[in-house]
């Protein structure tokens, strides 16, 4: 019921995204900013993936309306036609700008479309089914001929693996399976011994739940790939980042996200005890809006979360997935005895006392979450510094050269201050971007080089300043933070007690209930 209630709120919104006017050149498109408002000059293909979630609800008998089946299938067909309209000559789709060649979004729409075909093929004619398969084929070819090289983003790679495995399942294509295995090897080679999958520079619990949405599907489709233990290690890591107040993840993650995709963890609950524990606890959080839910998603992230909730609702119908019957064990914050857990590769320290639960990331300058009882008492993202020219910087960045000392209940971190590269886009910048889109971005290698440079500037390699901050954290129920900033002429500390994100990261900052009480 929990997933269905959230889905019922969003189904009208999802259906309203689709252009159902068959006389329109944009028939079947889901990006209203493109086809209805005319505010962009390209269509974000992510919206076409909603065919997956809609079809799951229909097939599982969870569709809340008395809809005519022919009308429903026609709508799904229109989404395939819209996706075909958006497909570039090289077989790619896009999300952010024209000629983007988005590896992730091409994989996402391919995966969602292939599941849709699997779900409703017996409700389509043979001709309709073949037409849908041929629409997907160029995306699969693009995934087999291209690569994502600007960063290691595990959830993107997992999306491609899942799409290629689904294509192999449908078409018995050994080349697709070989490519899936190569990508999977890259994901697993970048999985830490601590269990986390790499997202840019480190671990991000929020995006790791999305990564598991895809890896769980791969595991269930092709168990011979031996993903059970990597997935189990991942969930054993994730369980530490469910909080006493019902929230999940946050600023200590590499991408500062605090959403939770429920489907992959719920799918693994019958096989992995820690998955059952996490799924059981987080369902209550979803019901109470104590974690970022489907209702909080903006449109660019709406469809992946919608599909995750639809799969979650489908799984919840199966008696084997009744997680309250799987005897879930207590999560780390619920354990009776105090402990301290260090994930040194991620830079994370978890400190559990009799009545407190603290999470610190020393590789991000000492970002700290501190709960007493079931309430967040301290959320400290670090210091904010203003340069002589008025630019803001912070110690809230990944820094592999920071020095850290951990002795008993005291952590001392010396961390460099970096400039916060947070910018808004203005008309002139947009003009330059569109000139690039129409010219050099048509050459894939130049486009990928540009993406890599943007990632370094906006996320992974900010400008270092000649100023350091020393942060001392005294652990315990009455946790205390003391910052000692280098004295450098012209630089000053800005009074800021509010949480902040230092990098460009579109998926951070979604609302949950605790925001009203901080």
């Amino acid at each position: 019921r929990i997933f269905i209630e959230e889905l019922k709120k969003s189904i009208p919104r999802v259906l309203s995204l689709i252009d159902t006017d068959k006389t329109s050149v944009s028939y079947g498109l889901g990006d209203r900013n493109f086809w209805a408002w005319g505010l962009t000059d390209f269509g974000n293909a992510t919206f076409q993936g909603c065919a997956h979630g809609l079809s799951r609800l229909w097939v599982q008998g969870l569709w809340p309306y008395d809809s005519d089946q022919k009308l429903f299938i026609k709508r799904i067909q229109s989404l395939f036609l819209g996706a075909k309209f958006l497909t570039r000559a090289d077989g790619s789709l896009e999300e952010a700008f024209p000629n983007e060649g988005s590896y992730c979004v091409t994989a996402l729409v391919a995966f969602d479309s292939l599941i849709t075909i699997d779900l409703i093929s017996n409700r389509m004619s043979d001709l309709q089914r073949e037409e849908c398969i041929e629409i997907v084929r160029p995306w699969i070819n693009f995934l087999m001929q291209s690569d994502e090289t600007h960063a290691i983003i595990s959830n993107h790679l997992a999306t491609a693996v899942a799409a290629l495995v689904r294509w192999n399942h449908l078409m018995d294509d050994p080349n697709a399976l070989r490519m899936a295995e190569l990508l999977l090897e890259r994901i697993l080679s970048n999985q830490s011994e601590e269990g986390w999958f790499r997202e840019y520079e480190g671990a991000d619990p929020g995006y790791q739940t999305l990564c598991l949405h895809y890896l769980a599907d791969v595991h269930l489709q092709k168990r011979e790939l031996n993903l059970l233990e990597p997935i189990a290690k991942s969930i054993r890591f994730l369980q530490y980042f469910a909080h006493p107040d019902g929230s999940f993840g946050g600023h200590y993650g590499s991408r500062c996200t605090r959403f939770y995709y429920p489907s992959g963890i719920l799918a693994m609950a019958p096989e992995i005890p820690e998955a059952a524990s996490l799924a059981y606890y987080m369902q209550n959080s979803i019901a109470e809006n104590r974690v970022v839910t489907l209702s909080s998603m903006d449109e660019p992230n709406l469809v992946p979360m919608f599909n995750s909730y639809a799969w979650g609702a489908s799984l919840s119908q199966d008696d084997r997935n009744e997680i309250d019957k799987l005897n879930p064990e207590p999560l780390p914050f619920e354990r009776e005895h105090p402990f301290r857990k260090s994930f040194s590769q991620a830079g994370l320290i978890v400190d559990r006392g009799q009545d407190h639960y603290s999470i610190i990331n020393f590789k991000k300058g000492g970002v700290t979450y501190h709960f007493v009882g079931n309430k967040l008492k301290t959320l400290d993202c670090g210091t904010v510094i203003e340069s002589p020219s008025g630019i803001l910087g912070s110690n809230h960045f990944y820094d592999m050269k920071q020095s850290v000392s951990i002795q008993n209940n005291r952590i001392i971190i010396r961390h460099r201050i970096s400039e916060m590269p947070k910018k808004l886009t203005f008309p002139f910048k947009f003009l330059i971007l569109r000139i690039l889109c129409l010219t050099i971005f048509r050459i894939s290698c130049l486009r990928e080089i540009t993406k890599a440079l943007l990632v370094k500037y906006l996320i992974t390699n900010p400008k270092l300043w000649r100023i350091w901050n020393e942060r001392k954290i005294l652990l315990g129920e009455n946790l205390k933070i003391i910052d000692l900033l280098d004295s450098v002429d012209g630089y000053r500390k800005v009074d800021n007690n509010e949480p902040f994100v230092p990098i460009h990261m579109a998926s951070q900052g979604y609302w949950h209930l605790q925001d009203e009480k901080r």
Side-chain angles (χ1 to χ4, degrees):
R1 295 298 304 172
I2 292 168
F3 298 120
I4 287 296
E5 291 306 312
E6 275 289 305
L7 286 160
K8 282 181 178 177
K9 299 174 193 174
S10 293
I11 290 171
R13 181 180 171 197
V14 170
L15 295 179
S16 294
L17 294 173
I18 307 166
D19 184 0
T20 57
D21 180 356
K22 207 164 184 179
T23 68
S24 173
V25 68
S26 57
Y27 175 63
L29 294 186
D31 184 353
R32 288 190 67 93
N33 278 335
F34 178 52
W35 71 261
W37 292 91
L39 298 178
T40 63
D41 53 354
F42 71 100
N44 181 347
T46 306
F47 298 105
Q48 310 307 126
C50 70
H52 168 191
L54 297 174
S55 298
R56 259 196 207 279
L57 296 176
W58 182 268
V59 169
Q60 294 295 325
L62 296 171
W63 189 250
Y65 310 119
D66 184 22
S67 304
D68 178 77
Q69 178 165 291
K70 287 185 178 179
L71 174 65
F72 185 88
I73 298 301
K74 186 184 295 185
R75 180 185 285 128
I76 299 300
Q77 281 286 117
S78 78
L79 286 164
F80 276 84
L81 293 173
K84 180 181 180 181
F85 176 85
L86 294 174
T87 303
R88 296 290 182 177
D90 63 356
S92 71
L93 299 167
E94 50 219 16
E95 175 185 28
F97 53 82
N99 294 311
E100 178 189 5
S102 174
Y103 190 82
C104 173
V105 170
T106 306
L108 180 150
V109 179
F111 171 75
D112 288 330
S113 299
L114 288 166
I115 289 184
T116 302
I117 293 170
D118 184 51
L119 288 168
I120 65 169
S121 61
N122 61 351
R123 293 168 170 81
M124 296 189 291
S125 68
D126 290 343
L127 183 61
Q128 287 174 320
R129 182 177 180 274
E130 287 304 312
E131 183 180 13
C132 289
I133 290 172
E134 291 308 311
I135 288 171
V136 175
R137 190 183 297 277
W139 309 332
I140 298 299
N141 290 337
F142 176 80
L143 295 178
M144 290 199 288
Q145 296 167 8
S146 304
D147 198 0
E148 183 172 81
T149 59
H150 58 274
I152 297 295
I153 310 171
S154 292
N155 83 85
H156 290 187
L157 298 174
T159 312
V161 172
L164 291 164
V165 167
R166 282 277 179 173
W167 179 260
N168 173 70
H169 177 75
L170 179 69
M171 303 299 292
D172 192 23
D173 184 342
N175 292 326
L177 182 58
R178 278 195 292 271
M179 179 58 73
E181 290 172 339
L182 288 172
L183 293 173
L184 187 58
E185 182 180 347
R186 189 188 306 176
I187 295 170
L188 297 180
S189 67
N190 282 283
Q191 183 181 22
S192 165
E193 295 174 358
E194 298 167 348
W196 48 274
F197 294 109
R198 187 173 166 188
E199 291 286 330
Y200 290 103
E201 297 168 289
D204 187 82
Y207 264 112
Q208 191 158 321
T209 64
L210 177 57
C211 186
L212 287 173
H213 169 79
Y214 298 109
L215 292 184
D217 186 79
V218 173
H219 169 69
L220 295 173
Q221 291 293 312
K222 209 155 189 66
R223 290 180 180 271
E224 57 267 36
L225 292 175
N226 299 315
L227 272 176
L228 181 60
E229 183 53 28
I231 289 173
K233 284 173 61 178
S234 170
I235 294 172
R236 290 185 203 119
F237 171 80
L238 285 180
Q239 65 178 335
Y240 285 90
F241 307 104
H243 303 152
D245 67 347
S247 59
F248 182 85
H251 295 268
Y252 51 74
S254 62
R255 302 183 69 177
C256 301
T257 61
R258 54 186 193 178
F259 45 54
Y260 173 81
Y261 285 82
S263 48
I265 292 159
L266 184 59
M268 299 309 300
E271 299 182 66
I272 302 171
E274 293 86 354
S277 300
L278 186 54
Y280 181 75
Y281 178 72
M282 293 308 299
Q283 282 192 176
N284 293 328
S285 291
I286 291 169
E288 297 171 359
N289 282 315
R290 294 190 177 278
V291 69
V292 173
T293 66
L294 175 61
S295 295
S296 295
M297 288 292 103
D298 59 358
E299 288 189 355
N301 271 337
L302 175 65
V303 166
M305 187 69 85
F306 180 81
N307 292 341
S308 179
Y309 272 58
W311 189 16
S314 174
L315 289 166
S316 297
Q317 280 197 311
D318 191 331
D319 290 341
R320 291 171 297 178
N321 295 303
E322 290 188 23
I323 51 180
D324 55 336
K325 295 180 181 178
L326 296 174
N327 299 315
E329 295 291 320
L331 289 170
F333 80 84
E334 298 173 307
R335 291 175 187 169
E336 183 177 352
H337 300 292
F339 68 87
R340 187 169 298 162
K341 178 74 173 177
S342 176
F343 298 100
S344 58
Q345 293 176 344
L348 290 160
I349 295 172
V350 179
D351 182 56
R352 164 77 167 119
Q354 291 292 350
D355 198 39
H356 75 269
Y357 194 75
S358 307
I359 301 172
I360 296 101
N361 193 324
F362 60 80
K363 287 189 176 180
K364 295 190 77 177
V367 173
T368 300
Y369 276 59
H370 178 62
F371 300 86
V372 177
N374 63 355
K375 296 186 183 301
L376 179 61
K377 186 175 181 181
T378 301
L379 170 48
D380 192 313
C381 289
T383 55
V384 178
I385 310 300
E386 185 177 33
S387 74
S389 59
I391 298 172
L392 296 182
S394 174
N395 61 337
H396 182 182
F397 288 93
Y398 265 98
D399 184 358
M400 303 309 171
K401 297 180 180 179
Q402 93 293 326
S403 66
V404 59
S405 170
I406 305 170
Q407 295 181 348
N408 299 322
N409 291 329
R410 185 180 66 178
I411 303 172
I412 300 176
I413 306 156
R414 185 163 172 80
H415 200 283
R416 190 96 172 254
I417 302 296
S418 299
E419 182 177 316
M420 292 197 279
K422 298 194 287 187
K423 309 287 185 182
L424 291 175
T425 302
F426 293 101
F428 180 72
K429 291 181 181 178
F430 244 104
L431 176 61
I432 297 299
L433 176 62
R434 287 303 181 261
I435 291 172
L436 293 174
C437 290
L438 293 172
T439 54
I440 67 170
F441 282 1
R442 293 179 179 273
I443 304 171
S444 61
C445 62
L446 296 178
R447 182 177 65 220
E448 293 306 311
I449 290 171
T450 305
K451 287 181 186 178
L453 292 173
L454 286 172
V455 165
K456 285 185 177 181
Y457 172 66
L458 294 172
I459 300 174
T460 63
N461 193 28
K463 182 179 179 182
L464 296 172
W465 288 355
R466 56 190 178 93
I467 182 170
W468 295 72
N469 184 73
E470 182 176 279
R471 168 161 286 201
K472 181 186 293 185
I473 303 172
L474 304 177
L475 299 174
E477 184 173 338
N478 298 312
L479 180 141
K480 188 174 182 180
I481 297 174
I482 303 167
D483 285 317
L484 182 62
L485 186 68
D486 285 354
S487 178
V488 178
D489 288 344
Y491 291 85
R492 70 175 188 90
K493 184 176 180 180
V494 177
D495 290 332
N496 178 59
N497 296 319
E498 298 295 321
F500 66 94
V501 175
I503 58 174
H504 173 82
M505 187 52 60
S507 298
Q508 54 81 24
Y510 294 119
W511 178 91
H512 57 43
L513 184 62
Q514 297 89 319
D515 289 343
E516 301 305 306
K517 298 178 181 179
R518 190 167 57 230

